[in-house]
Amino acid sequence: MWMRSLAHLCGLHKQQTPGSPITTTKYDVGSCAAGYNNQLSPNMSPMQQLTGDGVTQFLRSNPDFLDRFVMEEIELEQLERWIIRRSQKMKKKHEQKNDRKISLSKWKFCVHADKRKMLQDLTTSLEKQPTKDEVLWELASCISSAVDADGFQLILIENADLSRTSIFKGNIKTSLKASKAVIAYVIDKLESVRVSYHQMDSRFPNGSFKDGEEYHVMCQPVVSNGKLAAILELWKIKGKQPFHEEDEEIGMSYLVWGGIALHYADLYFSMNQQKKLNDFLLDVVKSIFQDMISIDKLVKKIMNFAQKLVDADRASLFLVDTKNNQLYATIFDVGLDEEERVEATSKEIRFPLGIGIAGIVATTGEILNISDAYSDVRFNRSIDQLTGYKTDTILCMPIYIQGRIIGVVQMVNKHTGMFTKEDQDAFEMFAIYCGLALHHAQLYDQIKKSEQKYRVALEVLSYHNTCNEEEFKEALGNGIPEKIIGVDDYYFNPFGLKDNEKAKHAIYMFIDLFGLTRFDKNSLIRFTLTVRKNYRRVPYHNWTHGFSVANSMYTIIKHSNNIFSLNESLALYIGALCHDLDHRGKTNKFMLDTASPLANIYSTSTMEHHHFNQTVTILQQEGHNIFSKLSSTEYKEVLDLLKHCILATDLALFFNNKDRLSKILSEDNFSWHNQDHRLLIQAIAMTGSDLSASAKPWEVQVKTVDIIFQEFYDQGDEEKKNGRTPLPMMDRNQTNHQPASQVGFLTGICSPCYTLLHQLIPETKSLLDMCHENLRRWKDIDDNIKEKREAR
């Protein structure tokens, strides 16, 4: 009755039967109520006379009026909120009754959010870039637009661990808006959270925001296959309306479809990764059984694939040297830019097991996945400081074969975020086949080296042999002098002796230094005579040179007041005597350039390694082992020192030894009790003895230089035959380079060497003085040549 009167007073219907339809023109509920109330009580205002029940009854009786009013007067955003709130209430009622029905709002009532377009965008994205990250990005973009957010970001969380988070990307670059407590809550409960800067939330007593942050934030979990894939953080700036329940519902409705897309993205990723693995493993099998590639080529192949497999910026592979407890690599870094790039060192990189990330993995067998390298105390920053490269994330894994670790692969800086559990799983499978491939490649390298050694052995045997019985008896019969005058003089002239006399002198010097109490005289004679035979007849690196170097070392040891131990002295003297055994009169570079079999066996210090191995071969001959009376511990120590001493005669190593020792002396840190320091002075003493011709009187110096250049010219002739251009000092047509080269040689190598030697062994001053005198003479000659050249 009240509603009909209201409608009548407003002029909105024709008087017919009760409940008859109202024909409307202009709809204004306020004016209708005002007219009705004026009729009833002139003393009351319109709003005072209206009641909720009356309006409700009117609207129920006039649905057409309600429909038109809503369509014309109500804002679309407000209408959407009403619909979602209504569906939420229905949903709660169904849940209380255990009704399986769910709210249709998730599927139908999101007017502003066009799910059809969203699904089309997701489908297109999956076709173009079917990755989990791209699906998450598209999904987040849609939700942000649907709820009118000012910004958003995706927070990737690994294994529900808040300490392992990374912001994937957002439409503005920023840090988290909400506090970590909010993020941790979402991870734990897998529930959406809405917070505003001006409201307190009992769930977060310490606050919902960082200090100074003023935003409205909504965080929603993104779940795929029952696992948390990410958290979507959306925000609105201060002054805007906060997020409402219906915004949360909109986001959830998108996430239902997004979860399905993520599931298929994961399937695609897994299938694609498996295909990559299968293709690579097929390549590995082909490489092993068809090409039999070298280990260096295989290492490059493994590093390139490992890098692509986990989307890393760089990769390194280190092999384990179980004998020396070290990791080593000749190819230490692989990175990809426009073209594949491999950085290789000219020499091996080596470091002890247990040092650095790779060293720890090699020792423990533990997989290390480091999200922030600089915050990990195990990380060595020195390489970054040298190269300028910034290491952020690291994935380092061991490679096994037959239950033992043979190598370590280290991937650096994943292009998107951190290395994941999926990266670890994929690489663990790959590492099994890596181990097999490396094992076979190592066997193949060993076979090749054995072949080369066999060729070298045949070559050596065809040229050399041991001393025969007649030579031994003759030397034994002639006897060894009890005293040789002048042999311990730094300026002793080796050119005044015949070859047999040099052998006799070498035996005398050994006995004078070490006696015969612990050494067999017959073995010493045989050993010395065979060493003499194993020097080739080349102009300079022959038996005379070997004897001269041994004589210089004998003199240093003799006058150094026992600063060297017995075993050190043994290694120094025998090392000097044998340091150029079987020298071919060619430089290490020549051996490498001409692909000599020796160069295939020893890639660094080629000839020096060969000289040491020749020494060991002679010691192993029957009746030649002069160390046979030493204990096993002493024997091993002497051999280790002997190798160190012979390798030290490689001039390529001198510069590093010189710099290290000079630094120690300049800082006044040298100690004879420090084993590393003792090894350095031994190396310098070996170099000084090897170059002792530069510290002999002028007549000996000039004769030696003539012989050296004969050998240089012979090598130059060989290089010309092979179509190469020799260095000027090795070209016999450019003899005027001799004085200048000697000035450079004495200035840059000899003088610094004898200066260091004199600082630690003052008794060697004679060597330094004569070196400087010879340098003065060579400078005078070189200056005269330059003056004549300028006068022309």
Side-chain angles (χ1 to χ4, degrees):
M1 180 69 177
W2 181 88
M3 188 63 70
R4 286 201 304 274
S5 298
L6 176 64
H8 174 74
L9 290 173
C10 294
L12 297 178
H13 74 289
K14 296 179 180 179
Q15 184 77 30
Q16 294 182 4
T17 58
S20 62
I22 297 175
T23 303
T24 59
T25 53
K26 175 67 176 174
Y27 310 104
D28 187 339
V29 173
S31 63
C32 290
Y36 171 68
N37 286 317
N38 287 336
Q39 288 287 333
L40 292 179
S41 177
N43 297 324
M44 299 177 66
S45 68
M47 296 309 296
Q48 288 175 330
Q49 306 239 1
L50 274 175
T51 66
D53 291 342
V55 174
T56 299
Q57 185 178 355
F58 173 79
L59 294 177
R60 285 177 177 171
S61 301
N62 298 277
D64 290 342
F65 168 81
L66 176 62
D67 180 70
R68 294 176 187 177
F69 179 81
V70 168
M71 295 300 293
E72 293 184 11
E73 301 294 338
I74 305 301
E75 293 293 336
L76 183 62
E77 183 179 355
Q78 183 60 47
L79 179 61
E80 184 179 329
R81 298 187 193 286
W82 285 349
I83 294 172
I84 294 177
R85 287 177 183 175
R86 170 66 172 168
S87 63
Q88 283 289 88
K89 290 181 180 180
M90 291 176 63
K91 176 182 176 182
K92 291 178 180 178
K93 289 180 181 179
H94 287 304
E95 289 174 350
Q96 292 172 358
K97 297 177 181 180
N98 293 324
D99 196 332
R100 294 177 65 93
K101 295 180 181 179
I102 60 172
S103 171
L104 292 178
S105 65
K106 282 190 176 181
W107 313 98
K108 297 181 179 178
F109 302 114
C110 285
V111 177
H112 186 63
D114 186 350
K115 291 191 184 64
R116 181 177 180 182
K117 186 176 185 305
M118 179 205 75
L119 291 173
Q120 289 175 343
D121 290 343
L122 283 178
T123 302
T124 302
S125 176
L126 278 170
E127 290 174 351
K128 293 180 179 178
Q129 292 180 305
T131 66
K132 179 179 177 180
D133 291 344
E134 290 301 323
V135 172
L136 285 170
W137 171 244
E138 291 294 337
L139 184 61
S141 298
C142 291
I143 295 175
S144 177
S145 176
V147 300
D148 194 27
D150 291 311
F152 73 90
Q153 56 196 5
L154 278 164
I155 306 157
L156 305 182
I157 300 174
E158 187 172 345
N159 298 326
D161 182 359
L162 188 57
S163 66
R164 296 180 66 79
T165 64
S166 61
I167 297 175
F168 167 50
K169 58 180 177 178
N171 56 0
I172 65 173
K173 287 198 171 184
T174 182
S175 59
L176 291 172
K177 304 298 181 187
S179 68
K180 283 194 173 183
V182 174
I183 305 301
Y185 181 90
V186 177
I187 293 173
D188 183 47
K189 303 295 185 181
L190 293 183
E191 295 177 1
S192 298
V193 170
R194 290 177 284 112
V195 290
S196 294
Y197 67 92
H198 59 281
Q199 294 177 346
M200 291 297 296
D201 193 316
S202 60
R203 295 172 296 180
F204 313 113
N206 295 325
S208 308
F209 292 86
K210 299 177 182 177
D211 293 338
E213 299 284 7
E214 294 185 349
Y215 293 92
H216 306 291
V217 170
M218 180 168 69
C219 293
Q220 291 190 296
V222 183
V223 179
S224 175
N225 295 327
K227 296 180 180 179
L228 182 67
I231 291 176
L232 172 61
E233 184 187 56
L234 305 114
W235 64 84
K236 294 183 181 180
I237 61 175
K238 180 182 178 181
K240 284 197 171 184
Q241 287 290 319
F243 291 100
H244 296 284
E245 185 178 2
E246 49 269 30
D247 295 320
E248 186 176 316
E249 183 68 12
I250 289 171
M252 294 305 297
S253 66
Y254 273 104
L255 292 175
V256 170
W257 290 106
I260 298 172
L262 283 173
H263 172 70
Y264 282 102
D266 282 340
L267 286 178
Y268 175 84
F269 178 81
S270 298
M271 292 173 63
N272 194 44
Q273 290 294 90
Q274 190 61 50
K275 183 179 182 299
K276 286 182 180 178
L277 264 179
N278 292 340
D279 291 343
F280 173 73
L281 296 178
L282 183 60
D283 288 342
V284 170
V285 172
K286 288 179 180 177
S287 298
I288 295 172
F289 297 106
Q290 292 182 10
D291 303 329
M292 290 299 285
I293 61 176
S294 71
I295 194 162
D296 281 348
K297 290 182 180 179
L298 182 62
V299 165
K300 293 177 188 177
K301 195 179 187 74
I302 288 173
M303 291 166 70
N304 276 317
F305 184 80
Q307 180 194 5
K308 295 173 185 176
L309 181 67
V310 298
D311 194 28
D313 185 55
R314 296 196 175 189
S316 303
L317 188 148
F318 301 94
L319 299 178
V320 175
D321 181 352
T322 53
K323 182 179 179 181
N324 296 310
N325 290 322
Q326 292 178 324
L327 284 178
Y328 69 96
T330 53
I331 303 167
F332 68 94
D333 186 27
V334 165
L336 292 183
D337 34 42
E338 293 181 359
E339 297 179 354
E340 289 192 355
R341 172 178 59 81
V342 177
E343 294 181 6
T345 61
S346 59
K347 58 182 180 180
E348 290 179 341
I349 290 178
R350 283 183 173 268
F351 54 93
L353 293 176
I355 302 298
I357 302 298
I360 291 171
V361 170
T363 303
T364 64
E366 176 187 4
I367 298 170
L368 291 182
N369 189 346
I370 299 172
S371 58
D372 185 358
Y374 278 75
S375 66
D376 195 308
V377 296
R378 299 166 295 187
F379 176 66
N380 183 0
R381 304 184 184 188
S382 60
I383 301 300
D384 277 11
Q385 292 168 353
L386 287 173
T387 62
Y389 184 79
K390 176 68 164 54
T391 300
D392 294 316
T393 57
I394 298 174
L395 177 60
C396 194
M397 307 184 75
I399 296 177
Y400 287 87
I401 187 67
Q402 296 177 343
R404 62 185 177 88
I405 297 175
I406 64 168
V408 172
V409 172
Q410 180 171 287
M411 278 75 71
V412 173
N413 289 356
K414 187 175 177 68
H415 287 130
T416 55
M418 299 175 294
F419 293 105
T420 64
K421 183 64 167 59
E422 289 77 13
D423 293 332
Q424 292 181 204
D425 293 340
F427 194 80
E428 277 188 285
M429 183 183 297
F430 163 63
I432 295 172
Y433 292 91
C434 287
L436 291 171
L438 285 170
H439 180 63
H440 281 84
Q442 286 176 334
L443 290 176
Y444 180 58
D445 269 9
Q446 289 174 8
I447 292 171
K448 288 201 301 181
K449 284 185 177 180
S450 295
E451 291 177 348
Q452 297 294 343
K453 285 182 178 181
Y454 177 71
R455 289 175 57 192
V456 171
L458 287 178
E459 183 185 353
V460 170
L461 287 173
S462 66
Y463 187 87
H464 302 300
N465 53 23
T466 60
C467 72
N468 55 47
E469 197 63 22
E470 290 181 2
E471 292 169 328
F472 166 71
K473 288 180 179 180
E474 181 181 352
L476 187 62
N478 291 335
I480 307 300
E482 292 185 3
K483 186 71 175 178
I484 299 179
I485 304 298
V487 73
D488 60 347
D489 190 333
Y490 285 111
Y491 302 151
F492 183 81
N493 183 358
F495 295 115
L497 300 175
K498 296 180 180 179
D499 282 355
N500 287 339
E501 291 175 323
K502 292 168 190 167
K504 186 183 295 186
H505 277 59
I507 296 169
Y508 165 80
M509 289 187 291
F510 183 95
I511 296 173
D512 186 41
L513 287 175
F514 310 112
L516 291 174
T517 304
R518 304 188 64 194
F519 304 96
D520 179 68
K521 181 180 178 180
N522 291 348
S523 296
L524 177 60
I525 294 173
R526 286 192 175 92
F527 176 84
T528 306
L529 294 177
T530 299
V531 165
R532 183 194 67 183
K533 275 198 162 187
N534 278 265
Y535 272 96
R536 294 198 179 195
R537 297 184 181 278
V538 292
Y540 174 65
H541 290 94
N542 50 33
W543 168 236
T544 298
H545 172 65
F547 168 77
S548 178
V549 174
N551 170 250
S552 295
M553 181 58 73
Y554 161 77
T555 306
I556 292 173
I557 297 171
K558 182 81 172 174
H559 296 295
S560 60
N561 297 319
N562 298 318
I563 61 172
F564 296 114
S565 69
L566 172 64
N567 288 347
E568 288 173 335
S569 298
L570 271 173
L572 286 166
Y573 180 75
I574 298 301
L577 187 68
C578 303
H579 82 284
D580 272 334
L581 278 173
D582 195 45
H583 200 292
R584 285 87 191 284
K586 305 294 187 295
T587 63
N588 282 335
K589 187 177 185 305
F590 181 88
M591 305 299 283
L592 288 168
D593 291 343
T594 56
S596 162
L598 279 175
N600 289 325
I601 299 173
Y602 315 109
S603 58
T604 58
S605 300
T606 301
M607 291 308 302
E608 288 72 24
H609 275 101
H610 179 59
H611 304 325
F612 170 71
N613 283 338
Q614 284 300 107
T615 304
V616 174
T617 299
I618 294 174
L619 286 170
Q620 291 173 341
Q621 299 293 324
E622 185 179 356
H624 287 67
N625 191 354
I626 56 177
F627 304 138
S628 61
K629 293 185 179 181
L630 299 179
S631 68
S632 59
T633 302
E634 291 173 322
Y635 188 85
K636 183 180 184 304
E637 181 185 356
V638 170
L639 282 187
D640 287 342
L641 290 170
L642 183 60
K643 182 175 183 179
H644 165 71
C645 290
I646 292 178
L647 293 185
T649 59
D650 182 358
L651 276 182
L653 304 180
F654 164 73
F655 300 100
N656 182 54
N657 292 333
K658 178 200 70 173
D659 292 343
R660 287 175 59 199
L661 188 56
S662 297
K663 185 174 185 296
I664 292 169
L665 289 172
S666 67
E667 296 172 353
D668 197 24
N669 287 331
F670 184 86
S671 171
W672 286 101
H673 300 291
N674 186 310
Q675 183 60 29
D676 287 337
H677 295 180
R678 295 184 71 88
L679 289 173
L680 279 175
I681 188 58
Q682 290 167 33
I684 296 299
M686 285 297 298
T687 303
S689 298
D690 193 16
L691 307 179
S692 60
S694 64
K696 297 282 187 180
W698 179 248
E699 296 76 15
V700 178
Q701 158 73 166
V702 171
K703 184 173 182 178
T704 304
V705 169
D706 287 342
I707 295 171
I708 290 173
F709 274 88
Q710 274 186 40
E711 194 167 283
F712 281 171
Y713 295 152
D714 287 346
Q715 177 173 317
D717 294 342
E718 288 290 325
E719 289 177 324
K720 289 178 180 178
K721 287 180 183 178
N722 294 327
R724 294 186 176 90
T725 302
L727 294 172
M729 70 176 185
M730 293 187 176
D731 189 340
R732 65 175 67 253
N733 297 323
Q734 301 185 52
T735 56
N736 57 329
H737 285 280
Q738 282 189 20
S741 68
Q742 282 303 108
V743 170
F745 181 66
L746 269 67
T747 302
I749 297 177
C750 299
S751 179
C753 176
Y754 294 126
T755 299
L756 287 173
L757 199 60
H758 174 245
Q759 283 182 261
L760 292 171
I761 308 176
E763 294 81 4
T764 60
K765 187 175 185 299
S766 298
L767 294 172
L768 179 62
D769 291 343
M770 190 57 70
C771 174
H772 286 166
E773 172 61 20
N774 289 334
L775 176 59
R776 183 189 64 77
R777 292 200 179 200
W778 284 116
K779 282 183 178 179
D780 290 343
I781 296 172
D782 186 44
D783 290 341
N784 289 334
I785 292 175
K786 289 178 180 177
E787 288 175 4
K788 291 179 181 178
R789 189 183 299 128
E790 291 172 359
R792 290 175 185 172

